[in-house]
Amino acid sequence: MNGMVRTTAILVALGIAAAAQTPVSSPPMNTIAERYVKLVLALGQHDKDYVDAFYGPPEWKTEAERRKQPLADIGAAADRLLAEIAASTRNESAASSGEAGAAPKGDDLVRLRRDYLKRQLEALRARVRMLEGTKLSFDEESKALYDAVAPTHPDSYFEGLIKELDRALPGDGPVVDRYDAFRRRFIVPADRLSRVFDRAIAECRTRSLPHVQLPPAESFTVEYVKNKPWSGYNWYQGSFRSLIQVNTDLPIYIDRAIDLACHEGYPGHHVYNALLEKHLVRDRGWVEFTVYALFSPQSLIAEGTANYGIEVAFPGEERVAFEREVLFPLAGLDPSQAEAYAKVRALVDRLSYAGNEAARKYLNGESTRTQAVDWLQRYAMMPAASAEQRTRFFDTYRSYVINYNLGKDLVKQYVESRAGGQPQKRWQEFVKLLASPRLPSALR
Ligand SMILES: [Zn+2]
């Protein structure tokens, strides 16, 4: 036993000696994390959508505004930081390459942290290049920024799904028009909107609380806004508070109530941000989580969990039951139509990857805006106005679109491969994922 301890001491000493000879030194991870945050803030000076949330030291933000670091400097600083992370990885593997159990193994979360910082920085590096004029294809971009590539589907794939929808919808004429007409019966009147949303939010919170330990101070505010390229947004403010904005440019259908309440609120973005703040920022002092870089792998996890969270909160038929019994009456809609609407919606949801194809072709320069709008009407069942709003989303957020559907599918696979269909177990795995820095490529 003693012999083993001595071997360990020698190996650790060798590891340290090897590190001293490497050209790049490796500062502690907290120092790397702080420099990462400052680089995200610096890049935010060149890209107004880049910093989605920041609740770290306010003077770091003021400093970034004052300094206005040029893009080339930000890129070079990111390269240096990446080299330092690589050096710290080499040192750690040198230190732990002795007998099993010889060197103290960092906990799983510590390893995830380093992988996460590295990959977030690589995405930052790619975003700098894009802002400097480098043109990436849709798939290259999503790989670089979100650590994932969405599958490609031929037209025939969507045509098959549309045939099913065609059979499910009453009347004659183009499917998209019949879908639009059918759906109009489920618009929430403007004067009932906040009542319906408030009830949906309360329900999602009640369903989440038994499974998620939320900080007692958590809360959020809902605002109704216009003229935005998105339909809803969560602006996390820190201290466990969120501002949720709902865009009322287009009609709001009854299903948006639960979508939005879960996605933006419980157990979606609001819970995700609050758990990261609680477990990683406050409990561990990991400052990198006080900043949220929008065009980064973190977004796939954020959007994927927010979308999958709907199924976690409302397993099986529970969603349609709640809509029928509570939300339809509140909105003044006919509850006897709730099931029929849910069936049609499920068919249309399967067309979500058509949106990726539209974005891919449009952003790769293979289709014009008009063609993208046509495609979205035909294959994604979006009425003209929604399709146009969607192409404006493509202009701003580009390959970000994959984070919603591919993100959801990856999160679903990850959670269900561990939990199966067992609702309680699903919650456990889901919450564990929310509170940890896992990368999209590590979900597979
Ligand atoms: Zn979202």
Side-chain angles (χ1 to χ4, degrees):
M1 293 301 266
N2 278 342
M4 216 169 109
V5 172
R6 272 189 32 220
T7 316
T8 308
I10 292 163
L11 281 172
V12 170
L14 283 175
I16 291 165
Q21 287 161 15
T22 55
V24 181
S25 67
S26 53
M29 212 39 83
N30 282 350
T31 311
I32 291 176
E34 180 177 329
R35 282 160 57 197
Y36 162 76
V37 176
K38 289 177 176 172
L39 282 178
V40 171
L41 296 174
L43 188 49
Q45 297 303 305
H46 298 269
D47 177 352
K48 66 174 175 46
D49 298 310
Y50 191 64
V51 182
D52 190 77
F54 174 62
Y55 54 91
E59 61 276 15
W60 292 5
K61 187 161 177 267
T62 327
E63 174 64 9
E65 286 159 1
R66 192 192 59 75
R67 233 176 121 194
K68 263 205 167 295
Q69 210 178 347
L71 280 175
D73 291 7
I74 299 171
D79 285 338
R80 277 196 301 278
L81 210 45
L82 279 165
E84 288 167 16
I85 294 177
S88 97
T89 315
R90 280 196 302 273
N91 295 348
E92 186 173 295
S93 49
S96 64
S97 63
E99 293 168 56
K105 270 181 112 186
D107 73 59
D108 198 34
L109 222 49
V110 171
R111 186 182 51 77
L112 288 177
R113 178 193 196 192
R114 188 182 50 217
D115 293 350
Y116 172 89
L117 265 170
K118 171 175 172 282
R119 197 59 192 83
Q120 289 287 115
L121 263 166
E122 286 169 353
L124 178 143
R125 191 67 190 87
R127 187 71 187 169
V128 169
R129 286 202 186 92
M130 285 171 67
L131 294 170
E132 285 173 332
T134 299
K135 297 260 179 286
L136 299 176
S137 72
F138 183 85
D139 290 341
E140 286 166 350
E141 181 186 307
S142 78
K143 179 82 195 139
L145 299 182
Y146 309 115
D147 198 31
V149 174
T152 304
H153 295 291
D155 296 9
S156 56
Y157 169 81
F158 302 110
E159 278 154 10
L161 296 174
I162 289 166
K163 275 202 189 106
E164 283 183 57
L165 185 63
D166 188 7
R167 284 193 291 270
L169 288 167
D172 314 298
V175 190
V176 63
D177 293 346
R178 282 187 285 140
Y179 173 56
D180 194 27
F182 174 76
R183 215 181 172 201
R184 279 181 195 284
R185 290 151 46 186
F186 305 99
I187 292 175
V188 182
D191 60 342
R192 292 182 180 240
L193 212 53
S194 70
R195 212 180 316 169
V196 170
F197 273 128
D198 288 350
R199 183 63 187 87
I201 291 165
E203 181 69 15
C204 294
R205 189 169 184 276
T206 305
R207 284 170 176 262
S208 302
L209 283 180
H211 310 280
V212 192
Q213 255 208 319
L214 281 173
E218 65 83 19
S219 71
F220 68 72
T221 329
V222 182
E223 272 179 18
Y224 296 88
V225 297
K226 283 195 177 289
N227 284 319
K228 303 289 177 192
W230 36 256
S231 54
Y233 214 110
N234 178 317
W235 305 96
Y236 191 66
Q237 324 264 290
S239 303
F240 313 120
R241 282 179 297 109
S242 291
L243 166 65
I244 292 176
Q245 292 186 322
V246 181
N247 184 1
T248 57
D249 285 345
L250 296 176
I252 294 185
Y253 304 92
I254 188 72
D255 50 306
R256 287 293 291 145
I258 285 186
D259 277 351
L260 216 115
C262 282
H263 182 105
E264 310 293 346
Y266 308 92
H269 294 325
H270 174 66
V271 169
Y272 172 62
N273 286 299
L275 291 182
L276 290 181
E277 180 173 0
K278 167 76 182 72
H279 294 283
L280 303 185
V281 176
R282 300 211 180 189
D283 292 354
R284 289 185 179 246
W286 291 357
V287 74
E288 65 271 36
F289 293 96
T290 61
V291 80
Y292 176 9
L294 191 68
F295 306 112
S296 76
Q298 189 178 359
S299 282
L300 184 135
I301 303 289
E303 301 300 356
T305 50
N307 272 353
Y308 178 61
I310 303 168
E311 280 176 35
V312 178
F314 292 89
E317 298 300 302
E318 291 182 29
R319 174 176 179 165
V320 68
F322 178 72
E323 288 178 331
R324 182 185 59 233
E325 285 153 28
V326 180
L327 295 184
F328 270 65
L330 262 186
L333 303 176
D334 176 2
S336 74
Q337 295 301 301
E339 257 95 9
Y341 184 45
K343 277 205 186 87
V344 166
R345 211 166 58 210
L347 289 172
V348 174
D349 278 351
R350 291 162 63 195
L351 294 168
S352 86
Y353 278 81
N356 297 3
E357 298 303 337
R360 186 186 272 121
K361 289 195 184 76
Y362 175 66
L363 294 168
N364 283 348
E366 291 155 20
S367 71
T368 62
R369 183 185 306 276
T370 315
Q371 287 167 328
V373 170
D374 282 352
W375 166 278
L376 286 168
Q377 291 182 74
R378 191 165 161 180
Y379 291 105
M381 293 298 119
M382 290 186 181
S386 314
E388 282 197 343
Q389 187 193 57
R390 199 64 185 155
T391 60
R392 289 198 300 278
F393 188 95
F394 296 164
D395 292 332
T396 310
Y397 299 107
R398 304 181 52 87
S399 64
Y400 193 95
V401 293
I402 71 151
N403 293 330
Y404 298 99
N405 45 24
L406 181 65
K408 178 190 164 179
D409 289 345
L410 291 177
V411 167
K412 185 179 164 77
Q413 268 167 33
Y414 177 83
V415 170
E416 292 178 9
S417 69
R418 279 160 179 72
Q422 218 269 319
Q424 190 75 20
K425 192 89 191 8
R426 232 162 49 157
W427 266 111
Q428 282 168 15
E429 290 296 336
F430 180 72
V431 172
K432 240 198 283 177
L433 177 62
L434 284 181
S436 67
R438 197 168 288 277
L439 286 166
S441 53
L443 292 178
R444 290 195 186 267

